[in-house]
Amino acid sequence: MATTATKSQGDERAEKSVRASTDNGRTRSRGGQRHGSRRWLMSLAGAVVALFFLAPYLVMLIGSFKRHSEILRIPATYLPTEWVPSNYASMWSTPETPLAYNLVSTIIISACGTLLVLVVAMPAAYYTAKHRFPGRLAFLLLVLVTQMLQPTVLAAGLFRQFLAIGIDDTWLAMILVNGAFNLSFAVWIMHSFFAGVPKEIDEAAMIDGASKLQTLRRVTLPVVWPGIVTAIIFTFVACWNEFAASLIILTTAENQPLTVAITKFVGQYDSAWQYVFGVSIVGIVPVIILFALVEKRLVAGLTAGAIK
């Protein structure tokens, strides 16, 4: 009898364990299904949001392959009846503006303006973050106030100054303008990253025999590199998209950037929209490539400090 009772108790325990494992399996499968459906909904929502923001660029890309008459057709067609890839070849030889020179001008002005900002902003941000000196707060506030001034407001005055010193209608003038108006943003963003580096790291490097320049180059810069990349990207994009000052200061067609050159295709009575769309795509591609190359560094710089 005792053996039979023991066997029945063992069978009950086995049944309970089987039921428990079955319930746990069902719970896990339900949780996995919920998680999978939630992930699918999030992916769908992300695709809808991405399509919403990419729609204007898709329309612009498709429009660049249409004929001029088809773009103005009523009712409008979403896809071209005849794809015209030759628009991208013919737009470089249009009489409105020399696009090849405009592209070179844009690249030189943006690259040199960004380099100028980097060379000036990095030492300024490092010194203000690591040293306490009289007037430090006033200096930082003054740098911040300059961000409120836009090239559009000061373009006329800047043109008169450049005319007086003989550098009007030159790349140098626009490099100085872009550098000046993007310097404050770069200083502030780099300042926050340099200030986040503990002093003990610099002191340990100097104790090991490193000079201040070596400490900055070998110890501090690798730590704050995401912030530097962030400042470089935003400065380059701002220089690339600058329009108002270039329109006033640069009067020669060959010296003007793409932002000014694209307006030459929009006339009072007619507009070559296929070329407007094509030039816009050409102007977007280098920025997209730059973002793709530094995406990880840029995300790290933008999210730095969000998680402690």
Side-chain angles (χ1 to χ4, degrees), residues 23-63:
D23 293 340
N24 291 333
R26 291 176 180 175
T27 303
R28 291 176 181 175
S29 63
R30 291 175 183 174
Q33 293 176 356
R34 292 177 182 176
H35 182 70
S37 61
R38 185 179 302 175
R39 180 182 298 176
W40 185 82
L41 290 175
M42 292 295 292
S43 301
L44 180 61
V48 171
V49 173
L51 182 61
F52 176 79
F53 285 102
L54 291 176
Y57 298 98
L58 293 176
V59 172
M60 186 168 58
L61 178 62
I62 295 173

Side-chain angles (χ1 to χ4, degrees), residues 203-275:
E203 293 174 354
M206 297 183 70
I207 290 175
D208 291 339
S211 63
K212 290 185 177 181
L213 183 60
Q214 291 175 336
T215 302
L216 173 63
R217 183 168 56 90
R218 297 181 179 180
V219 179
T220 307
L221 287 184
V223 177
V224 302
W225 186 243
I228 296 175
V229 171
T230 304
I232 291 174
I233 294 300
F234 278 92
T235 301
F236 182 84
V237 173
C239 296
W240 189 273
N241 295 332
E242 203 286 319
F243 170 74
S246 299
L247 181 63
I248 297 175
I249 296 175
L250 300 178
T251 56
T252 303
E254 288 78 6
N255 293 337
Q256 293 173 341
L258 287 177
T259 53
V260 178
I262 196 174
T263 61
K264 304 294 183 61
F265 296 107
V266 181
Q268 183 176 0
Y269 301 105
D270 192 16
S271 300
W273 292 111
Q274 72 277 17
Y275 296 146

Side-chain angles (χ1 to χ4, degrees), residues 2 5 25 37 40 76 85 92 94 105 108 118 126 129 145 169 188 193 198 205 207 209 213-214 255 258-260 291:
S37 61
W40 185 82
W92 297 100
T94 56
S105 178
I108 292 177
L118 182 64
Y126 177 77
V145 168
D169 193 20
W188 268 98
F193 278 88
I207 290 175
L213 183 60
Q214 291 175 336
N255 293 337
L258 287 177
T259 53
V260 178
F291 269 92

Side-chain angles (χ1 to χ4, degrees), residues 42-164:
M42 292 295 292
S43 301
L44 180 61
V48 171
V49 173
L51 182 61
F52 176 79
F53 285 102
L54 291 176
Y57 298 98
L58 293 176
V59 172
M60 186 168 58
L61 178 62
I62 295 173
S64 64
F65 289 100
K66 291 183 177 181
R67 293 189 181 277
H68 180 261
S69 57
E70 188 174 0
I71 294 177
L72 302 178
R73 179 182 300 176
I74 299 176
T77 57
Y78 291 100
L79 294 177
T81 56
E82 181 185 357
W83 294 84
V84 188
S86 60
N87 288 337
Y88 282 93
S90 58
M91 70 181 186
W92 297 100
S93 58
T94 56
E96 284 82 0
T97 183
L99 277 181
Y101 290 97
N102 299 140
L103 180 59
V104 172
S105 178
T106 305
I107 294 174
I108 292 177
I109 292 174
S110 301
C112 294
T114 303
L115 181 61
L116 177 62
V117 169
L118 182 64
V119 170
V120 177
M122 189 183 299
Y126 177 77
Y127 191 85
T128 54
K130 296 298 183 180
H131 299 82
R132 297 294 185 269
F133 55 90
R136 173 177 173 272
L137 181 59
F139 172 77
L140 292 175
L141 290 176
L142 181 62
V143 171
L144 184 62
V145 168
T146 59
Q147 186 68 25
M148 304 177 185
L149 303 175
Q150 297 298 319
T152 307
V153 181
L154 304 176
L158 291 173
F159 176 77
R160 292 179 62 87
Q161 290 184 354
F162 292 144
L163 183 63

